[in-house]
Structure formats: C-alpha cells, structure tokens
Amino acid sequence: MQPIAPRGGTWSVGQGRRLVLGPRATIMGILNVTPDSFSDGGRYAGVEAAVAAALAMVAEGAEIIDIGGESTRPGATPVAPLEEQRRVLPVIEALAVQSDCLISVDTYREETARLAVEAGAHIVNDVWGAQKEPGIARVAAETGAGICLMHTGRERAKLPDVIDDQRLFLTESLRIAAAAGIAPEAIVLDPGFGFEKDGPENMLLLARFGEIMDLGFPLLVGTSRKRFVRGIIGRNDPEPDVATAATSVLMRERGADIFRVHNVAVNRDALAIADAMRAAAQGARW
C-alpha cells in the first residue's frame, strides 16, 4: 500500500500553545484516575501517583497527557460530575505546575471541561463528539482550547458502512463546533475505535482508515489495549502493547497524526521506524 501523508499542520491547543503535527507522530499518554477503567483502573487514584505516572510518560516521549475521571469502557457505571471533577482537577493543577507538557481532559461534560481548562488543561477530548453536551463546544470556543471530536456508535442506529457512518457522525460534530465558533485549527478528529464497534468493524475501519482523511482535519487514534486487538492476537492479554504498536504503525501509514496509548515507549519506538521509513521514501535524512 502506498503510504498516505498525514494531514499535519498546527493544532491550536489553548493556553497560548500550538502543536506542530505531521513530520513525526505525536503521542498522547493515557492517564485514567478512575477505579474501574478497563486497563489501569485504580492504579493512579492519588494525585501524587497520577502525576508521577504522567511525568514518566512525558520522559518516555509523550507530548500530551490525557486525564480521564470516568471510565468509558462498555457497561461502566457513570459518575456524577462533581466526582469526575474531584478526580481530575487536582491532577491537572499539579501536573501543570510540574511539567510543560500539553494536558488533555477526557470528558464530555461542559462544566468539567471549563473547570479543567481553568486548572491548566489545553485540550478537551470528547468521546461523544460534542453531541452529548453540545455546550462543551462553547467552552473550547470561549477558552481557545483545542478539541478532539470522537466518533461513537453508542445510543444510536449506525449506517451499515463504517466510513459512511464516520462521515455522518463527524460531520454533525463539526457542524456543532462551527456553530459554537471553534476555529478549524483547534479541531482534530478521532474515529473512535472500539466505541460500539465489533471486531470486524474495527478491522474494516483500520483497513479503510485513509478514506476519512477527506474530512479535512488531523486524526487522533486510540486502539491501545482495546478488546479487538486482544481478539486478533488470540489471547486475553490485558496489556497487548506490541500488538497495539502494530496498529499504530499501520494507521501512521494511513495518515494518522496523534496516537493515544497506555505504553508510550513501545509505541514511540514503533512509530519512529514508521516515520524514518517515510522520510527515507521522500529522500530526506532522518
């Protein structure tokens, strides 16, 4: 397959910061401050432990740390907004003091997003694509924060074709973002691997990933330790990080810019090879 050049460009992420995308893959480290996330629930319950984990990921090469206070795994029990904020806000505040990394808050709630940006977050990462609480788009517009709009198949009827459904859902998310006044350079999109998609759907989305490049925005992807990755390798490994890195490389070849992962080091090394091969093919020195 002929590699597809990533969208690239400059992502405006708030707090006066910008992130250059394109030449090299960007890694977003996952930090769940929850008791019940599918991979690392309960591991970073205290502020000190959470910040230490974030700093370790930054040292390994993560440019963004994505902090979530509510599990998004299928069947997870929702938490109250105040509990979500109790979990994430102290970690954001402490990390903002100790590191100049970019901080993302993984939330679909308008109030949590606003408080997180006030605490020092640069990015709002919404797994409902601004369609659960559309007011979250106003938060991004008013604060200048970057926003990631993710596709999901939850709580609605999907179109039969995975790419048609991507375009349908994400076009509506982009409409909400534009109506709120979010600048285009503040937006990235996420196809939402694993969110109400079975194994074959996920694989088809991966295989046809390049087809969503025509939406015109940089793409963030998150396959890390997902159920379909474990299914492909044929065993219930709770941390299939090598297999995750393989999907990261495949999606880099299909145009993805940002990779949301648990294991930063493994994905960093795999993506470095992919980027070096791209540079060599273009006649550039790495």
Side-chain angles (χ1 to χ4, degrees):
M1 187 200 81
Q2 188 68 23
I4 300 170
R7 174 66 54 183
T10 302
W11 188 15
S12 179
V13 294
Q15 312 284 3
R17 302 281 296 276
R18 291 178 177 271
L19 179 63
V20 176
L21 303 172
R24 299 188 183 188
T26 297
I27 295 180
M28 170 187 276
I30 299 170
L31 184 64
N32 291 316
V33 287
T34 58
D36 58 345
S37 289
F38 77 90
S39 178
D40 53 2
R43 194 174 296 179
Y44 310 118
V47 173
E48 186 175 341
V51 171
L55 294 176
M57 287 189 283
V58 171
E60 290 178 338
E63 294 185 65
I64 309 167
I65 300 297
D66 189 42
I67 302 171
E70 179 178 25
S71 175
T72 57
R73 65 178 175 82
T77 302
V79 302
L82 286 177
E83 175 61 18
E84 179 190 38
Q85 293 154 22
R86 184 193 68 79
R87 294 174 181 178
V88 302
L89 296 179
V91 179
I92 292 170
E93 291 172 349
L95 183 58
V97 170
Q98 297 185 48
S99 174
D100 64 355
C101 70
L102 297 175
I103 301 171
S104 168
V105 60
D106 181 357
T107 187
Y108 59 85
R109 293 188 174 97
E110 175 182 359
E111 182 184 13
T112 301
R114 188 177 297 280
L115 292 171
V117 174
E118 290 175 1
H122 307 85
I123 298 162
V124 175
N125 182 16
D126 183 357
V127 299
W128 287 91
Q131 295 187 41
K132 190 80 163 178
E133 292 193 15
I136 201 169
R138 289 195 302 272
V139 173
E142 292 168 4
T143 64
I147 189 165
C148 178
L149 301 169
M150 197 196 80
H151 173 282
T152 183
R154 293 178 180 175
E155 298 184 10
R156 65 183 184 86
K158 298 185 297 182
L159 296 179
D161 183 85
V162 294
I163 301 300
D164 288 347
D165 197 68
Q166 289 281 321
R167 293 188 177 119
L168 175 72
F169 185 90
L170 291 173
T171 296
E172 174 61 13
S173 293
L174 290 168
R175 184 198 65 78
I176 293 169
I182 300 177
E185 61 268 23
I187 298 171
V188 303
L189 303 178
D190 179 347
F193 283 94
F195 280 76
E196 203 63 31
K197 302 172 182 72
D198 62 22
E201 286 176 304
N202 283 301
M203 287 306 299
L204 192 56
L205 179 57
L206 194 157
R208 297 177 60 190
F209 184 81
E211 295 180 42
I212 59 177
M213 291 286 290
D214 62 7
L215 289 168
F217 292 86
L219 297 172
L220 182 153
V221 293
T223 60
S224 187
R225 300 179 181 175
K226 293 286 175 74
R227 182 184 304 170
F228 85 95
V229 175
R230 300 196 301 272
I232 293 168
I233 62 176
R235 64 181 185 275
N236 193 28
D237 181 349
E239 299 184 355
D241 294 323
V242 173
T244 294
T247 66
S248 295
V249 168
L250 289 169
M251 286 184 292
R252 183 61 173 164
E253 289 292 284
R254 288 161 171 77
D257 276 297
I258 306 165
F259 299 83
R260 183 179 182 273
V261 300
H262 296 86
N263 189 318
V264 171
V266 169
N267 285 273
R268 174 203 65 205
D269 289 352
L271 287 163
I273 297 296
D275 285 339
M277 287 183 64
R278 181 185 301 279
Q282 295 171 345
R285 294 182 63 85
W286 187 242

